[in-house]
Structure formats: structure tokens, C-alpha cells
Amino acid sequence: MSEQKESSVLFSLKELMNLEEDRIKQEEDAKAAAAAAAERARLDDERRKREEEEARIRAEDERRALEERKAREEAARLEAIRQAEVEKARVEAEQKARLEAMNAQQQHERKLAELQHDESKKKLRKTLYGVVAAVVVIGGATAGIIINQSQKAEQERQALADQARQAEEERKKAEQQAKEQQQKIDSLLSQLTSAKDEATRLALQKQLEEEKAKQDAAKKPGGGGGRPAAGGGAAKPCNCAPGDPLCSCL
């Protein structure tokens, strides 16, 4: 009976020890779990802060890159406007110089025509003065020659008038073509100034260069260089008889 009681007491002590060990182990496990959770929380917080910092840096880099791109685009736009204004001023100056040269050429041709016309009238007067002397000296046989000379003088005057009229028509036509060409160039310059992207600006710049090349090519044959000025051609051969007092070659 005594042995049974002793065994029962030992069993109870052993159970109590086991329970205490379980409690201690649970407390240690709980502490370890709490420490692990705290470490995970610390690592998560550090990762979150690191990701937030990286996101902030990326956002700042993107903001700076966007600002730099906008600054480059604005600088390119302003440069395009400046270039367009410079080009427009150059084209206008060239156009003005060309028109002035055309006007000077036309005035020169008109003066030459007027001088030639005056010469024709002088010859006509000399011829008419000679008619009286011719009638007295050689009679009515020379009347046909006088009339012929008068007709030739009139034909020359008419030819000069036609030449001046044709030159004026050519000048007006050239001015109209130059005006239309300038309108095309002004339109391209305006489009180039308001262009938003680089591809459009390049295409407009190419069209502008082509139109300018056409304009420069139109300038080269201008000024009436393809035909001689009035009175500047080779002299006609003289077919008068030797000693003829009514000869216009004199």
C-alpha cells in the first residue's frame, strides 16, 4: 500500500515536471515566434521604405527626363521659328532684289525703245526734209524711195513698240509667277513655324528647300538675258546705191 502511494506521488511529480517543461517550451516558442515576427516586420518595413525610396528616385528621374525633353522640344521649336523668320527675311530680300532688277531692266528697255523711237522720228524728219530737195533735184522718181523709207521707219517704230509691250507682258508674268512662288514659300514657312513634331518639321523643311530651289532656278534665266536689248543686235547691211542722198544708212 505504501509503495502504491509512493508511485502515485512520483507519477504526479513527473506529470507536474512535464507540464512545467511544456509551459517553458511554449513560452520559449512564443518568444521565438514573437522575435521572428518582429524581425519579419522590421525586414518588411525596411523593404517597404527601400521600395518607396526607389519609387521616389524613379519618379524624380522621370520628372527630370520629362522636363529635359520638354525643354529640348521648346528649344527646337524656338529655333525652328527663328530659322523660319531668318529664311523668310532672306527670301523676301531676294524677292525684292529680283523685282527691283526686273524693274530696272524694264526701265532700261523702255528707255532704249524711246531712244530708238526718237532716232526713227529724226530719220523720218530728215527723210521728209530731203523729199523737198529730192523733188526739186531728181523729181518724182524718188518719191517711191521716200515712201519706202517712211514705211521702214514706221515698221521699226512698231517693232520697238511690240518689243516693249512683249517685255512688259513678260515682266508681269514673271512677277505673277514670283508672287505665287513666294506665297508657297510663305505658307511652308508658316507651317514650319507651327509644326509640333520633328518628322513634320523635316518634311516641311524638305518641301521648303525644293520650293527655294525652284525659285532660284527661275531667277537664273531672268532679266531678259535670252534676247538682245533694243538696238543691240548686229547692224543690217546697207543696200543703198553709192551716193544716194536719201540713204538711211548715212
Side-chain angles (χ1 to χ4, degrees), residues 182-238:
Q182 184 61 39
Q183 289 175 349
K184 289 182 181 179
I185 292 175
D186 290 343
S187 176
L188 289 172
L189 286 173
S190 176
Q191 295 178 45
L192 180 62
T193 301
S194 59
K196 300 297 184 183
D197 58 277
E198 187 65 20
T200 303
R201 284 196 292 270
L202 290 175
L204 290 173
Q205 185 65 33
K206 182 178 180 181
Q207 294 180 22
L208 180 60
E209 291 174 356
E210 291 176 354
E211 292 299 328
K212 284 167 55 184
K214 292 179 182 178
Q215 188 182 59
D216 292 340
K219 294 177 184 178
K220 293 179 181 179
R227 58 183 178 85
K236 297 180 179 179
C238 184

Short mmCIF file of all heavy atoms in Angstrom, two decimals, residues 182-238:
data_model
loop_
_atom_site.label_atom_id
_atom_site.label_comp_id
_atom_site.label_asym_id
_atom_site.label_seq_id
_atom_site.Cartn_x
_atom_site.Cartn_y
_atom_site.Cartn_z
N GLN A 182 6.36 82.87 -104.00
CA GLN A 182 6.56 83.42 -102.67
C GLN A 182 5.43 83.01 -101.73
O GLN A 182 5.67 82.75 -100.54
CB GLN A 182 6.64 84.95 -102.75
CG GLN A 182 6.95 85.62 -101.41
CD GLN A 182 8.27 85.19 -100.85
OE1 GLN A 182 9.22 85.04 -101.60
NE2 GLN A 182 8.34 84.97 -99.56
N GLN A 183 4.21 82.95 -102.25
CA GLN A 183 3.09 82.52 -101.42
C GLN A 183 3.27 81.08 -100.95
O GLN A 183 2.97 80.75 -99.80
CB GLN A 183 1.78 82.66 -102.21
CG GLN A 183 1.34 84.10 -102.41
CD GLN A 183 0.10 84.21 -103.29
OE1 GLN A 183 -0.33 83.23 -103.91
NE2 GLN A 183 -0.48 85.41 -103.35
N LYS A 184 3.78 80.23 -101.86
CA LYS A 184 4.06 78.84 -101.46
C LYS A 184 5.10 78.80 -100.34
O LYS A 184 4.96 78.08 -99.36
CB LYS A 184 4.55 78.04 -102.66
CG LYS A 184 3.49 77.74 -103.70
CD LYS A 184 4.07 76.90 -104.84
CE LYS A 184 3.04 76.61 -105.92
NZ LYS A 184 3.62 75.81 -107.02
N ILE A 185 6.17 79.59 -100.53
CA ILE A 185 7.24 79.60 -99.54
C ILE A 185 6.73 80.14 -98.20
O ILE A 185 7.03 79.60 -97.13
CB ILE A 185 8.43 80.43 -100.06
CG1 ILE A 185 9.09 79.70 -101.25
CG2 ILE A 185 9.45 80.67 -98.96
CD1 ILE A 185 10.19 80.49 -101.91
N ASP A 186 5.93 81.22 -98.24
CA ASP A 186 5.38 81.78 -97.00
C ASP A 186 4.49 80.76 -96.30
O ASP A 186 4.51 80.66 -95.06
CB ASP A 186 4.58 83.04 -97.32
CG ASP A 186 5.49 84.19 -97.74
OD1 ASP A 186 6.70 84.10 -97.49
OD2 ASP A 186 4.99 85.16 -98.35
N SER A 187 3.69 80.03 -97.08
CA SER A 187 2.83 79.02 -96.48
C SER A 187 3.65 77.92 -95.81
O SER A 187 3.34 77.50 -94.69
CB SER A 187 1.93 78.41 -97.57
OG SER A 187 1.14 77.38 -97.03
N LEU A 188 4.72 77.47 -96.48
CA LEU A 188 5.57 76.44 -95.89
C LEU A 188 6.27 76.96 -94.64
O LEU A 188 6.43 76.24 -93.65
CB LEU A 188 6.59 75.96 -96.92
CG LEU A 188 6.03 75.12 -98.07
CD1 LEU A 188 7.11 74.88 -99.12
CD2 LEU A 188 5.49 73.79 -97.56
N LEU A 189 6.70 78.22 -94.68
CA LEU A 189 7.35 78.80 -93.50
C LEU A 189 6.38 78.87 -92.33
O LEU A 189 6.74 78.60 -91.19
CB LEU A 189 7.86 80.20 -93.84
CG LEU A 189 9.11 80.25 -94.74
CD1 LEU A 189 9.41 81.69 -95.15
CD2 LEU A 189 10.31 79.66 -94.03
N SER A 190 5.13 79.24 -92.62
CA SER A 190 4.11 79.31 -91.57
C SER A 190 3.85 77.92 -90.98
O SER A 190 3.76 77.75 -89.77
CB SER A 190 2.83 79.91 -92.13
OG SER A 190 1.82 79.91 -91.15
N GLN A 191 3.74 76.91 -91.87
CA GLN A 191 3.53 75.55 -91.38
C GLN A 191 4.73 75.05 -90.58
O GLN A 191 4.58 74.37 -89.57
CB GLN A 191 3.28 74.61 -92.56
CG GLN A 191 2.00 74.91 -93.33
CD GLN A 191 1.81 74.00 -94.51
OE1 GLN A 191 2.00 72.79 -94.40
NE2 GLN A 191 1.45 74.57 -95.64
N LEU A 192 5.93 75.41 -91.03
CA LEU A 192 7.14 75.00 -90.31
C LEU A 192 7.19 75.62 -88.93
O LEU A 192 7.59 74.99 -87.96
CB LEU A 192 8.37 75.40 -91.12
CG LEU A 192 9.74 75.04 -90.51
CD1 LEU A 192 9.88 73.54 -90.34
CD2 LEU A 192 10.86 75.57 -91.38
N THR A 193 6.74 76.88 -88.83
CA THR A 193 6.76 77.56 -87.53
C THR A 193 5.82 76.89 -86.54
O THR A 193 6.12 76.78 -85.36
CB THR A 193 6.36 79.04 -87.72
OG1 THR A 193 7.28 79.64 -88.63
CG2 THR A 193 6.40 79.78 -86.40
N SER A 194 4.66 76.42 -87.01
CA SER A 194 3.66 75.83 -86.13
C SER A 194 3.76 74.31 -86.03
O SER A 194 2.92 73.69 -85.40
CB SER A 194 2.26 76.21 -86.62
OG SER A 194 2.06 75.75 -87.95
N ALA A 195 4.77 73.71 -86.67
CA ALA A 195 4.92 72.26 -86.63
C ALA A 195 5.22 71.80 -85.20
O ALA A 195 5.99 72.43 -84.48
CB ALA A 195 6.03 71.80 -87.57
N LYS A 196 4.62 70.68 -84.78
CA LYS A 196 4.75 70.19 -83.41
C LYS A 196 5.79 69.08 -83.26
O LYS A 196 6.40 68.94 -82.21
CB LYS A 196 3.40 69.66 -82.90
CG LYS A 196 2.30 70.73 -82.89
CD LYS A 196 2.63 71.86 -81.95
CE LYS A 196 1.48 72.86 -81.88
NZ LYS A 196 1.79 74.01 -81.02
N ASP A 197 6.00 68.27 -84.28
CA ASP A 197 6.92 67.14 -84.17
C ASP A 197 8.04 67.27 -85.19
O ASP A 197 7.94 68.00 -86.18
CB ASP A 197 6.18 65.81 -84.36
CG ASP A 197 5.49 65.77 -85.71
OD1 ASP A 197 4.37 66.31 -85.83
OD2 ASP A 197 6.09 65.25 -86.65
N GLU A 198 9.11 66.54 -84.92
CA GLU A 198 10.32 66.63 -85.74
C GLU A 198 10.09 66.12 -87.15
O GLU A 198 10.61 66.68 -88.12
CB GLU A 198 11.43 65.83 -85.07
CG GLU A 198 12.80 65.98 -85.72
CD GLU A 198 13.33 67.39 -85.59
OE1 GLU A 198 12.87 68.13 -84.71
OE2 GLU A 198 14.21 67.75 -86.40
N ALA A 199 9.30 65.03 -87.30
CA ALA A 199 9.07 64.46 -88.63
C ALA A 199 8.36 65.46 -89.54
O ALA A 199 8.72 65.65 -90.70
CB ALA A 199 8.24 63.17 -88.51
N THR A 200 7.35 66.13 -89.00
CA THR A 200 6.65 67.14 -89.79
C THR A 200 7.56 68.29 -90.16
O THR A 200 7.55 68.79 -91.28
CB THR A 200 5.44 67.68 -89.01
OG1 THR A 200 4.57 66.58 -88.67
CG2 THR A 200 4.65 68.67 -89.85
N ARG A 201 8.39 68.71 -89.19
CA ARG A 201 9.33 69.81 -89.49
C ARG A 201 10.30 69.41 -90.58
O ARG A 201 10.60 70.21 -91.48
CB ARG A 201 10.09 70.20 -88.22
CG ARG A 201 9.26 71.04 -87.25
CD ARG A 201 10.14 71.72 -86.21
NE ARG A 201 10.75 70.76 -85.31
CZ ARG A 201 10.21 70.36 -84.17
NH1 ARG A 201 9.06 70.84 -83.78
NH2 ARG A 201 10.83 69.48 -83.40
N LEU A 202 10.80 68.17 -90.54
CA LEU A 202 11.75 67.73 -91.57
C LEU A 202 11.07 67.70 -92.94
O LEU A 202 11.66 68.11 -93.95
CB LEU A 202 12.29 66.34 -91.21
CG LEU A 202 13.25 66.31 -90.00
CD1 LEU A 202 13.62 64.88 -89.65
CD2 LEU A 202 14.49 67.13 -90.26
N ALA A 203 9.83 67.19 -92.99
CA ALA A 203 9.11 67.13 -94.27
C ALA A 203 8.86 68.53 -94.82
O ALA A 203 9.06 68.80 -96.00
CB ALA A 203 7.79 66.38 -94.09
N LEU A 204 8.44 69.45 -93.94
CA LEU A 204 8.20 70.82 -94.39
C LEU A 204 9.50 71.50 -94.81
O LEU A 204 9.52 72.28 -95.78
CB LEU A 204 7.54 71.62 -93.26
CG LEU A 204 6.10 71.22 -92.92
CD1 LEU A 204 5.62 71.95 -91.68
CD2 LEU A 204 5.16 71.52 -94.09
N GLN A 205 10.59 71.21 -94.07
CA GLN A 205 11.88 71.81 -94.44
C GLN A 205 12.31 71.33 -95.81
O GLN A 205 12.85 72.09 -96.62
CB GLN A 205 12.94 71.42 -93.39
CG GLN A 205 14.29 72.08 -93.61
CD GLN A 205 14.25 73.57 -93.46
OE1 GLN A 205 13.50 74.09 -92.65
NE2 GLN A 205 15.04 74.29 -94.23
N LYS A 206 12.06 70.02 -96.11
CA LYS A 206 12.42 69.48 -97.42
C LYS A 206 11.60 70.16 -98.52
O LYS A 206 12.13 70.55 -99.57
CB LYS A 206 12.18 67.98 -97.44
CG LYS A 206 12.58 67.32 -98.76
CD LYS A 206 12.36 65.82 -98.70
CE LYS A 206 12.75 65.18 -100.03
NZ LYS A 206 12.51 63.71 -100.02
N GLN A 207 10.28 70.30 -98.30
CA GLN A 207 9.43 70.99 -99.29
C GLN A 207 9.88 72.43 -99.48
O GLN A 207 9.91 72.95 -100.60
CB GLN A 207 7.97 70.96 -98.83
CG GLN A 207 7.37 69.56 -98.79
CD GLN A 207 5.92 69.58 -98.35
OE1 GLN A 207 5.24 70.59 -98.45
NE2 GLN A 207 5.44 68.47 -97.84
N LEU A 208 10.26 73.09 -98.36
CA LEU A 208 10.72 74.48 -98.45
C LEU A 208 11.98 74.58 -99.28
O LEU A 208 12.12 75.47 -100.12
CB LEU A 208 10.96 75.03 -97.04
CG LEU A 208 11.45 76.48 -96.95
CD1 LEU A 208 10.44 77.43 -97.57
CD2 LEU A 208 11.71 76.85 -95.50
N GLU A 209 12.91 73.64 -99.08
CA GLU A 209 14.15 73.66 -99.86
C GLU A 209 13.87 73.42 -101.34
O GLU A 209 14.50 74.04 -102.21
CB GLU A 209 15.12 72.60 -99.31
CG GLU A 209 15.65 72.95 -97.93
CD GLU A 209 16.49 71.83 -97.34
OE1 GLU A 209 16.57 70.75 -98.01
OE2 GLU A 209 17.06 72.00 -96.26
N GLU A 210 12.90 72.53 -101.64
CA GLU A 210 12.56 72.29 -103.04
C GLU A 210 11.96 73.53 -103.68
O GLU A 210 12.30 73.89 -104.82
CB GLU A 210 11.56 71.12 -103.11
CG GLU A 210 12.18 69.77 -102.74
CD GLU A 210 11.15 68.65 -102.72
OE1 GLU A 210 9.95 68.97 -102.89
OE2 GLU A 210 11.54 67.48 -102.55
N GLU A 211 11.06 74.21 -102.95
CA GLU A 211 10.45 75.43 -103.50
C GLU A 211 11.50 76.52 -103.68
O GLU A 211 11.47 77.27 -104.66
CB GLU A 211 9.33 75.93 -102.58
CG GLU A 211 8.11 75.01 -102.52
CD GLU A 211 7.46 74.85 -103.89
OE1 GLU A 211 7.51 75.80 -104.70
OE2 GLU A 211 6.92 73.76 -104.17
N LYS A 212 12.44 76.61 -102.73
CA LYS A 212 13.51 77.61 -102.86
C LYS A 212 14.40 77.28 -104.06
O LYS A 212 14.86 78.19 -104.76
CB LYS A 212 14.34 77.64 -101.59
CG LYS A 212 13.65 78.35 -100.43
CD LYS A 212 14.36 78.08 -99.13
CE LYS A 212 15.81 78.45 -99.24
NZ LYS A 212 16.57 78.12 -98.01
N ALA A 213 14.64 75.98 -104.27
CA ALA A 213 15.45 75.60 -105.43
C ALA A 213 14.74 75.99 -106.73
O ALA A 213 15.36 76.47 -107.68
CB ALA A 213 15.72 74.09 -105.40
N LYS A 214 13.41 75.81 -106.76
CA LYS A 214 12.64 76.22 -107.94
C LYS A 214 12.73 77.74 -108.12
O LYS A 214 12.88 78.24 -109.24
CB LYS A 214 11.17 75.81 -107.79
CG LYS A 214 10.95 74.30 -107.81
CD LYS A 214 9.47 73.99 -107.63
CE LYS A 214 9.22 72.49 -107.61
NZ LYS A 214 7.79 72.19 -107.39
N GLN A 215 12.64 78.45 -107.00
CA GLN A 215 12.71 79.91 -107.09
C GLN A 215 14.07 80.36 -107.58
O GLN A 215 14.19 81.24 -108.42
CB GLN A 215 12.41 80.52 -105.71
CG GLN A 215 12.27 82.03 -105.73
CD GLN A 215 12.03 82.58 -104.36
OE1 GLN A 215 12.83 82.38 -103.46
NE2 GLN A 215 10.91 83.27 -104.19
N ASP A 216 15.14 79.73 -107.06
CA ASP A 216 16.50 80.09 -107.50
C ASP A 216 16.69 79.75 -108.98
O ASP A 216 17.33 80.49 -109.72
CB ASP A 216 17.53 79.35 -106.65
CG ASP A 216 17.54 79.84 -105.21
OD1 ASP A 216 17.05 80.96 -104.99
OD2 ASP A 216 18.00 79.11 -104.33
N ALA A 217 16.13 78.60 -109.41
CA ALA A 217 16.26 78.22 -110.82
C ALA A 217 15.51 79.20 -111.71
O ALA A 217 15.94 79.50 -112.82
CB ALA A 217 15.71 76.81 -111.02
N ALA A 218 14.38 79.73 -111.21
CA ALA A 218 13.61 80.69 -112.01
C ALA A 218 14.35 82.02 -112.14
O ALA A 218 14.15 82.77 -113.08
CB ALA A 218 12.24 80.92 -111.39
N LYS A 219 15.25 82.29 -111.19
CA LYS A 219 15.97 83.56 -111.25
C LYS A 219 17.06 83.55 -112.31
O LYS A 219 17.37 84.58 -112.87
CB LYS A 219 16.61 83.86 -109.89
CG LYS A 219 15.61 84.10 -108.76
CD LYS A 219 16.36 84.31 -107.46
CE LYS A 219 15.38 84.47 -106.29
NZ LYS A 219 16.09 84.63 -105.03
N LYS A 220 17.67 82.40 -112.56
CA LYS A 220 18.86 82.35 -113.42
C LYS A 220 18.60 82.86 -114.83
O LYS A 220 19.36 83.66 -115.34
CB LYS A 220 19.41 80.93 -113.44
CG LYS A 220 19.97 80.50 -112.08
CD LYS A 220 20.50 79.08 -112.13
CE LYS A 220 21.03 78.67 -110.76
NZ LYS A 220 21.52 77.28 -110.79
N PRO A 221 17.53 82.39 -115.53
CA PRO A 221 17.34 82.89 -116.89
C PRO A 221 16.65 84.23 -116.96
O PRO A 221 16.35 84.72 -118.03
CB PRO A 221 16.46 81.81 -117.54
CG PRO A 221 15.65 81.30 -116.40
CD PRO A 221 16.58 81.33 -115.20
N GLY A 222 16.33 84.87 -115.83
CA GLY A 222 15.56 86.12 -115.82
C GLY A 222 16.38 87.29 -116.29
O GLY A 222 17.55 87.23 -116.54
N GLY A 223 15.72 88.44 -116.35
CA GLY A 223 16.38 89.69 -116.72
C GLY A 223 16.50 89.91 -118.20
O GLY A 223 17.20 90.79 -118.66
N GLY A 224 15.85 89.05 -119.01
CA GLY A 224 15.86 89.28 -120.46
C GLY A 224 17.18 88.93 -121.09
O GLY A 224 17.54 89.46 -122.14
N GLY A 225 17.98 88.01 -120.43
CA GLY A 225 19.28 87.67 -120.99
C GLY A 225 19.20 86.85 -122.25
O GLY A 225 20.18 86.72 -122.97
N GLY A 226 18.01 86.27 -122.54
CA GLY A 226 17.89 85.40 -123.70
C GLY A 226 17.68 86.13 -124.99
O GLY A 226 17.70 85.53 -126.06
N ARG A 227 17.43 87.46 -124.94
CA ARG A 227 17.22 88.19 -126.17
C ARG A 227 18.00 89.48 -126.10
O ARG A 227 18.17 90.07 -125.04
CB ARG A 227 15.74 88.49 -126.39
CG ARG A 227 15.10 89.28 -125.26
CD ARG A 227 13.63 89.47 -125.51
NE ARG A 227 13.01 90.19 -124.43
CZ ARG A 227 12.98 91.51 -124.34
NH1 ARG A 227 13.58 92.23 -125.25
NH2 ARG A 227 12.39 92.10 -123.34
N PRO A 228 18.50 90.00 -127.24
CA PRO A 228 19.31 91.23 -127.22
C PRO A 228 18.46 92.43 -126.91
O PRO A 228 17.28 92.47 -127.21
CB PRO A 228 19.90 91.29 -128.63
CG PRO A 228 18.93 90.54 -129.48
CD PRO A 228 18.37 89.46 -128.60
N ALA A 229 19.07 93.43 -126.28
CA ALA A 229 18.35 94.68 -126.00
C ALA A 229 18.11 95.41 -127.29
O ALA A 229 18.77 95.21 -128.30
CB ALA A 229 19.18 95.55 -125.04
N ALA A 230 17.11 96.31 -127.20
CA ALA A 230 16.75 97.06 -128.41
C ALA A 230 17.94 97.84 -128.90
O ALA A 230 18.62 98.52 -128.14
CB ALA A 230 15.59 98.02 -128.10
N GLY A 231 18.19 97.73 -130.16
CA GLY A 231 19.30 98.46 -130.75
C GLY A 231 20.63 97.79 -130.53
O GLY A 231 21.67 98.29 -130.95
N GLY A 232 20.68 96.60 -129.82
CA GLY A 232 21.96 95.97 -129.51
C GLY A 232 22.34 94.89 -130.47
O GLY A 232 23.34 94.23 -130.27
N GLY A 233 21.51 94.58 -131.51
CA GLY A 233 21.81 93.49 -132.44
C GLY A 233 22.81 93.92 -133.48
O GLY A 233 23.30 95.04 -133.50
N ALA A 234 23.13 93.01 -134.36
CA ALA A 234 24.08 93.32 -135.44
C ALA A 234 23.44 94.28 -136.42
O ALA A 234 22.24 94.24 -136.69
CB ALA A 234 24.49 92.04 -136.15
N ALA A 235 24.25 95.19 -136.97
CA ALA A 235 23.74 96.19 -137.92
C ALA A 235 23.34 95.52 -139.22
O ALA A 235 23.99 94.58 -139.68
CB ALA A 235 24.83 97.24 -138.17
N LYS A 236 22.21 96.01 -139.79
CA LYS A 236 21.74 95.46 -141.05
C LYS A 236 22.64 95.93 -142.20
O LYS A 236 23.15 97.05 -142.19
CB LYS A 236 20.30 95.91 -141.32
CG LYS A 236 19.31 95.40 -140.27
CD LYS A 236 17.91 95.86 -140.60
CE LYS A 236 16.92 95.34 -139.59
NZ LYS A 236 15.54 95.81 -139.87
N PRO A 237 22.85 95.12 -143.22
CA PRO A 237 23.69 95.55 -144.34
C PRO A 237 23.01 96.68 -145.11
O PRO A 237 21.80 96.74 -145.24
CB PRO A 237 23.81 94.28 -145.18
CG PRO A 237 22.62 93.46 -144.82
CD PRO A 237 22.35 93.75 -143.38
N CYS A 238 23.84 97.57 -145.60
CA CYS A 238 23.32 98.72 -146.35
C CYS A 238 23.20 98.35 -147.84
O CYS A 238 24.18 97.90 -148.45
CB CYS A 238 24.24 99.93 -146.17
SG CYS A 238 23.63 101.42 -146.98
#
